[in-house]
Amino acid sequence: MRFNIDKSIVYKAASKITLLALDVDGVLTDGRIYFSKTGEEIKTFHTLDGQGIKMLHACSIEVAIITGRSSMILEKRAADLGIKTLIQGREDKLTALNEILKAQSLSIKQAAYAGDDLPDLSAIRNVGLSFSVPNGHPEIRAASHAITTAEGGMGAVREITDFLLKANRKYDSFYQ
């Protein structure tokens, strides 16, 4: 992971995170959208990311998804991973995030956000901790606190989840 600000500041912010909000296309996926001959949308997800999300849940860090598109495939993936908060069809990411925070009685400093493109910028600029991916838009990478080594859809979310778990001293509990 590459840091845009002092690593110790990022670790301190990470220790306060109780909610990780994720964009989908470009973060949980590689950003490409596939369509079958019948027009069905196809997405691919990385199993490393899924395991990382399950690990966060086991340590009482919630995961939410906020995406501009709507997809039944994403509904299934979120359900499979135990993600209770899925907001689809929303380009106003910060507004959607604030709705989640209000419903859960959390402050914006308790939230981390991972995004890759301009609709994510307002959330990236306002959360307690922000992440982007190396294949994200330059403005998003510049505004983020940290940038993953792995690209979106290729384990980037797992890199983020491992970082959050380490900052909260909960990572080692998975190695028994």
PDB file of all heavy atoms in Angstrom, residues 115-138:
ATOM      1  N   GLY A 115     -12.857   4.050  -3.325  1.00  0.00           N
ATOM      2  CA  GLY A 115     -13.444   4.370  -4.623  1.00  0.00           C
ATOM      3  C   GLY A 115     -12.376   4.545  -5.684  1.00  0.00           C
ATOM      4  O   GLY A 115     -11.179   4.555  -5.383  1.00  0.00           O
ATOM      5  N   ASP A 116     -12.831   4.711  -6.918  1.00  0.00           N
ATOM      6  CA  ASP A 116     -11.881   4.801  -8.023  1.00  0.00           C
ATOM      7  C   ASP A 116     -12.188   5.873  -9.056  1.00  0.00           C
ATOM      8  O   ASP A 116     -11.380   6.111  -9.943  1.00  0.00           O
ATOM      9  CB  ASP A 116     -11.785   3.456  -8.735  1.00  0.00           C
ATOM     10  CG  ASP A 116     -13.027   3.153  -9.560  1.00  0.00           C
ATOM     11  OD1 ASP A 116     -14.151   3.352  -9.044  1.00  0.00           O
ATOM     12  OD2 ASP A 116     -12.886   2.723 -10.712  1.00  0.00           O
ATOM     13  N   ASP A 117     -13.366   6.528  -8.977  1.00  0.00           N
ATOM     14  CA  ASP A 117     -13.702   7.481 -10.028  1.00  0.00           C
ATOM     15  C   ASP A 117     -14.407   8.707  -9.444  1.00  0.00           C
ATOM     16  O   ASP A 117     -14.759   8.734  -8.267  1.00  0.00           O
ATOM     17  CB  ASP A 117     -14.556   6.808 -11.099  1.00  0.00           C
ATOM     18  CG  ASP A 117     -14.387   7.449 -12.474  1.00  0.00           C
ATOM     19  OD1 ASP A 117     -13.805   8.543 -12.581  1.00  0.00           O
ATOM     20  OD2 ASP A 117     -14.858   6.850 -13.465  1.00  0.00           O
ATOM     21  N   LEU A 118     -14.642   9.686 -10.263  1.00  0.00           N
ATOM     22  CA  LEU A 118     -15.112  10.996  -9.804  1.00  0.00           C
ATOM     23  C   LEU A 118     -16.393  10.981  -8.968  1.00  0.00           C
ATOM     24  O   LEU A 118     -16.493  11.784  -8.038  1.00  0.00           O
ATOM     25  CB  LEU A 118     -15.238  11.942 -10.998  1.00  0.00           C
ATOM     26  CG  LEU A 118     -13.893  12.264 -11.668  1.00  0.00           C
ATOM     27  CD1 LEU A 118     -14.105  13.171 -12.881  1.00  0.00           C
ATOM     28  CD2 LEU A 118     -12.912  12.883 -10.697  1.00  0.00           C
ATOM     29  N   PRO A 119     -17.378  10.089  -9.202  1.00  0.00           N
ATOM     30  CA  PRO A 119     -18.530  10.078  -8.295  1.00  0.00           C
ATOM     31  C   PRO A 119     -18.154   9.751  -6.849  1.00  0.00           C
ATOM     32  O   PRO A 119     -18.915  10.041  -5.931  1.00  0.00           O
ATOM     33  CB  PRO A 119     -19.438   8.989  -8.886  1.00  0.00           C
ATOM     34  CG  PRO A 119     -19.085   8.962 -10.337  1.00  0.00           C
ATOM     35  CD  PRO A 119     -17.591   9.211 -10.373  1.00  0.00           C
ATOM     36  N   ASP A 120     -16.971   9.184  -6.635  1.00  0.00           N
ATOM     37  CA  ASP A 120     -16.507   8.822  -5.295  1.00  0.00           C
ATOM     38  C   ASP A 120     -15.780   9.971  -4.587  1.00  0.00           C
ATOM     39  O   ASP A 120     -15.503   9.880  -3.398  1.00  0.00           O
ATOM     40  CB  ASP A 120     -15.541   7.625  -5.375  1.00  0.00           C
ATOM     41  CG  ASP A 120     -16.174   6.432  -6.042  1.00  0.00           C
ATOM     42  OD1 ASP A 120     -17.255   6.013  -5.597  1.00  0.00           O
ATOM     43  OD2 ASP A 120     -15.591   5.910  -7.017  1.00  0.00           O
ATOM     44  N   LEU A 121     -15.472  11.030  -5.305  1.00  0.00           N
ATOM     45  CA  LEU A 121     -14.588  12.080  -4.785  1.00  0.00           C
ATOM     46  C   LEU A 121     -15.100  12.734  -3.505  1.00  0.00           C
ATOM     47  O   LEU A 121     -14.330  12.916  -2.551  1.00  0.00           O
ATOM     48  CB  LEU A 121     -14.322  13.138  -5.853  1.00  0.00           C
ATOM     49  CG  LEU A 121     -13.280  14.186  -5.510  1.00  0.00           C
ATOM     50  CD1 LEU A 121     -11.930  13.547  -5.179  1.00  0.00           C
ATOM     51  CD2 LEU A 121     -13.127  15.173  -6.675  1.00  0.00           C
ATOM     52  N   SER A 122     -16.368  13.077  -3.441  1.00  0.00           N
ATOM     53  CA  SER A 122     -16.869  13.748  -2.231  1.00  0.00           C
ATOM     54  C   SER A 122     -16.754  12.840  -1.007  1.00  0.00           C
ATOM     55  O   SER A 122     -16.396  13.307   0.078  1.00  0.00           O
ATOM     56  CB  SER A 122     -18.300  14.235  -2.419  1.00  0.00           C
ATOM     57  OG  SER A 122     -19.164  13.146  -2.684  1.00  0.00           O
ATOM     58  N   ALA A 123     -17.024  11.562  -1.168  1.00  0.00           N
ATOM     59  CA  ALA A 123     -16.876  10.628  -0.046  1.00  0.00           C
ATOM     60  C   ALA A 123     -15.396  10.482   0.316  1.00  0.00           C
ATOM     61  O   ALA A 123     -15.037  10.513   1.499  1.00  0.00           O
ATOM     62  CB  ALA A 123     -17.481   9.273  -0.395  1.00  0.00           C
ATOM     63  N   ILE A 124     -14.548  10.345  -0.669  1.00  0.00           N
ATOM     64  CA  ILE A 124     -13.099  10.210  -0.449  1.00  0.00           C
ATOM     65  C   ILE A 124     -12.564  11.390   0.367  1.00  0.00           C
ATOM     66  O   ILE A 124     -11.760  11.221   1.278  1.00  0.00           O
ATOM     67  CB  ILE A 124     -12.350  10.129  -1.808  1.00  0.00           C
ATOM     68  CG1 ILE A 124     -12.681   8.836  -2.547  1.00  0.00           C
ATOM     69  CG2 ILE A 124     -10.857  10.339  -1.653  1.00  0.00           C
ATOM     70  CD1 ILE A 124     -11.972   7.602  -2.108  1.00  0.00           C
ATOM     71  N   ARG A 125     -13.034  12.588   0.049  1.00  0.00           N
ATOM     72  CA  ARG A 125     -12.530  13.800   0.710  1.00  0.00           C
ATOM     73  C   ARG A 125     -13.049  13.989   2.135  1.00  0.00           C
ATOM     74  O   ARG A 125     -12.478  14.771   2.889  1.00  0.00           O
ATOM     75  CB  ARG A 125     -12.900  15.026  -0.116  1.00  0.00           C
ATOM     76  CG  ARG A 125     -12.099  15.174  -1.369  1.00  0.00           C
ATOM     77  CD  ARG A 125     -12.504  16.423  -2.110  1.00  0.00           C
ATOM     78  NE  ARG A 125     -11.604  16.685  -3.234  1.00  0.00           N
ATOM     79  CZ  ARG A 125     -11.904  17.477  -4.236  1.00  0.00           C
ATOM     80  NH1 ARG A 125     -13.074  18.098  -4.270  1.00  0.00           N
ATOM     81  NH2 ARG A 125     -11.029  17.669  -5.208  1.00  0.00           N
ATOM     82  N   ASN A 126     -14.130  13.317   2.500  1.00  0.00           N
ATOM     83  CA  ASN A 126     -14.773  13.616   3.779  1.00  0.00           C
ATOM     84  C   ASN A 126     -14.675  12.543   4.850  1.00  0.00           C
ATOM     85  O   ASN A 126     -14.891  12.847   6.019  1.00  0.00           O
ATOM     86  CB  ASN A 126     -16.249  13.951   3.536  1.00  0.00           C
ATOM     87  CG  ASN A 126     -16.409  15.333   2.961  1.00  0.00           C
ATOM     88  OD1 ASN A 126     -16.316  16.316   3.679  1.00  0.00           O
ATOM     89  ND2 ASN A 126     -16.603  15.420   1.649  1.00  0.00           N
ATOM     90  N   VAL A 127     -14.356  11.320   4.491  1.00  0.00           N
ATOM     91  CA  VAL A 127     -14.321  10.237   5.481  1.00  0.00           C
ATOM     92  C   VAL A 127     -13.067  10.302   6.340  1.00  0.00           C
ATOM     93  O   VAL A 127     -12.101  10.997   6.018  1.00  0.00           O
ATOM     94  CB  VAL A 127     -14.414   8.849   4.797  1.00  0.00           C
ATOM     95  CG1 VAL A 127     -15.783   8.636   4.193  1.00  0.00           C
ATOM     96  CG2 VAL A 127     -13.301   8.657   3.786  1.00  0.00           C
ATOM     97  N   GLY A 128     -13.090   9.522   7.412  1.00  0.00           N
ATOM     98  CA  GLY A 128     -11.929   9.443   8.296  1.00  0.00           C
ATOM     99  C   GLY A 128     -10.728   8.808   7.631  1.00  0.00           C
ATOM    100  O   GLY A 128      -9.586   9.134   7.956  1.00  0.00           O
ATOM    101  N   LEU A 129     -10.958   7.923   6.671  1.00  0.00           N
ATOM    102  CA  LEU A 129      -9.879   7.229   5.977  1.00  0.00           C
ATOM    103  C   LEU A 129     -10.355   6.854   4.584  1.00  0.00           C
ATOM    104  O   LEU A 129     -11.425   6.267   4.428  1.00  0.00           O
ATOM    105  CB  LEU A 129      -9.485   5.976   6.759  1.00  0.00           C
ATOM    106  CG  LEU A 129      -8.284   5.193   6.273  1.00  0.00           C
ATOM    107  CD1 LEU A 129      -7.027   6.060   6.222  1.00  0.00           C
ATOM    108  CD2 LEU A 129      -8.050   3.985   7.163  1.00  0.00           C
ATOM    109  N   SER A 130      -9.561   7.200   3.573  1.00  0.00           N
ATOM    110  CA  SER A 130      -9.967   6.922   2.199  1.00  0.00           C
ATOM    111  C   SER A 130      -8.904   6.137   1.448  1.00  0.00           C
ATOM    112  O   SER A 130      -7.701   6.307   1.672  1.00  0.00           O
ATOM    113  CB  SER A 130     -10.272   8.225   1.464  1.00  0.00           C
ATOM    114  OG  SER A 130      -9.141   9.074   1.476  1.00  0.00           O
ATOM    115  N   PHE A 131      -9.403   5.279   0.553  1.00  0.00           N
ATOM    116  CA  PHE A 131      -8.541   4.420  -0.249  1.00  0.00           C
ATOM    117  C   PHE A 131      -8.922   4.520  -1.715  1.00  0.00           C
ATOM    118  O   PHE A 131     -10.088   4.717  -2.046  1.00  0.00           O
ATOM    119  CB  PHE A 131      -8.708   2.944   0.161  1.00  0.00           C
ATOM    120  CG  PHE A 131      -8.351   2.650   1.576  1.00  0.00           C
ATOM    121  CD1 PHE A 131      -9.317   2.665   2.566  1.00  0.00           C
ATOM    122  CD2 PHE A 131      -7.042   2.358   1.926  1.00  0.00           C
ATOM    123  CE1 PHE A 131      -8.998   2.379   3.885  1.00  0.00           C
ATOM    124  CE2 PHE A 131      -6.715   2.072   3.247  1.00  0.00           C
ATOM    125  CZ  PHE A 131      -7.692   2.083   4.227  1.00  0.00           C
ATOM    126  N   SER A 132      -7.940   4.330  -2.561  1.00  0.00           N
ATOM    127  CA  SER A 132      -8.187   4.152  -3.987  1.00  0.00           C
ATOM    128  C   SER A 132      -7.347   2.984  -4.464  1.00  0.00           C
ATOM    129  O   SER A 132      -6.611   2.370  -3.689  1.00  0.00           O
ATOM    130  CB  SER A 132      -7.849   5.425  -4.781  1.00  0.00           C
ATOM    131  OG  SER A 132      -8.281   5.264  -6.131  1.00  0.00           O
ATOM    132  N   VAL A 133      -7.479   2.690  -5.726  1.00  0.00           N
ATOM    133  CA  VAL A 133      -6.753   1.599  -6.362  1.00  0.00           C
ATOM    134  C   VAL A 133      -5.793   2.194  -7.395  1.00  0.00           C
ATOM    135  O   VAL A 133      -6.021   3.299  -7.879  1.00  0.00           O
ATOM    136  CB  VAL A 133      -7.735   0.605  -7.013  1.00  0.00           C
ATOM    137  CG1 VAL A 133      -8.551  -0.127  -5.954  1.00  0.00           C
ATOM    138  CG2 VAL A 133      -8.669   1.302  -7.995  1.00  0.00           C
ATOM    139  N   PRO A 134      -4.717   1.480  -7.744  1.00  0.00           N
ATOM    140  CA  PRO A 134      -3.733   2.054  -8.670  1.00  0.00           C
ATOM    141  C   PRO A 134      -4.294   2.342 -10.063  1.00  0.00           C
ATOM    142  O   PRO A 134      -3.764   3.196 -10.766  1.00  0.00           O
ATOM    143  CB  PRO A 134      -2.625   1.010  -8.724  1.00  0.00           C
ATOM    144  CG  PRO A 134      -3.202  -0.233  -8.194  1.00  0.00           C
ATOM    145  CD  PRO A 134      -4.320   0.162  -7.273  1.00  0.00           C
ATOM    146  N   ASN A 135      -5.372   1.671 -10.436  1.00  0.00           N
ATOM    147  CA  ASN A 135      -5.986   1.931 -11.737  1.00  0.00           C
ATOM    148  C   ASN A 135      -7.160   2.900 -11.628  1.00  0.00           C
ATOM    149  O   ASN A 135      -7.942   3.047 -12.561  1.00  0.00           O
ATOM    150  CB  ASN A 135      -6.419   0.619 -12.407  1.00  0.00           C
ATOM    151  CG  ASN A 135      -7.288  -0.260 -11.524  1.00  0.00           C
ATOM    152  OD1 ASN A 135      -7.107  -0.329 -10.308  1.00  0.00           O
ATOM    153  ND2 ASN A 135      -8.232  -0.950 -12.129  1.00  0.00           N
ATOM    154  N   GLY A 136      -7.259   3.594 -10.497  1.00  0.00           N
ATOM    155  CA  GLY A 136      -8.302   4.595 -10.311  1.00  0.00           C
ATOM    156  C   GLY A 136      -7.974   5.893 -11.031  1.00  0.00           C
ATOM    157  O   GLY A 136      -6.841   6.126 -11.470  1.00  0.00           O
ATOM    158  N   HIS A 137      -8.953   6.763 -11.123  1.00  0.00           N
ATOM    159  CA  HIS A 137      -8.778   8.078 -11.749  1.00  0.00           C
ATOM    160  C   HIS A 137      -7.713   8.864 -10.979  1.00  0.00           C
ATOM    161  O   HIS A 137      -7.668   8.807  -9.743  1.00  0.00           O
ATOM    162  CB  HIS A 137     -10.120   8.817 -11.740  1.00  0.00           C
ATOM    163  CG  HIS A 137     -10.100  10.077 -12.525  1.00  0.00           C
ATOM    164  ND1 HIS A 137      -9.583  11.245 -12.031  1.00  0.00           N
ATOM    165  CD2 HIS A 137     -10.526  10.338 -13.777  1.00  0.00           C
ATOM    166  CE1 HIS A 137      -9.698  12.194 -12.946  1.00  0.00           C
ATOM    167  NE2 HIS A 137     -10.266  11.668 -14.019  1.00  0.00           N
ATOM    168  N   PRO A 138      -6.863   9.629 -11.670  1.00  0.00           N
ATOM    169  CA  PRO A 138      -5.798  10.382 -10.991  1.00  0.00           C
ATOM    170  C   PRO A 138      -6.290  11.303  -9.876  1.00  0.00           C
ATOM    171  O   PRO A 138      -5.623  11.431  -8.842  1.00  0.00           O
ATOM    172  CB  PRO A 138      -5.146  11.187 -12.120  1.00  0.00           C
ATOM    173  CG  PRO A 138      -5.435  10.410 -13.358  1.00  0.00           C
ATOM    174  CD  PRO A 138      -6.771   9.757 -13.131  1.00  0.00           C
TER     175      PRO A 138
END
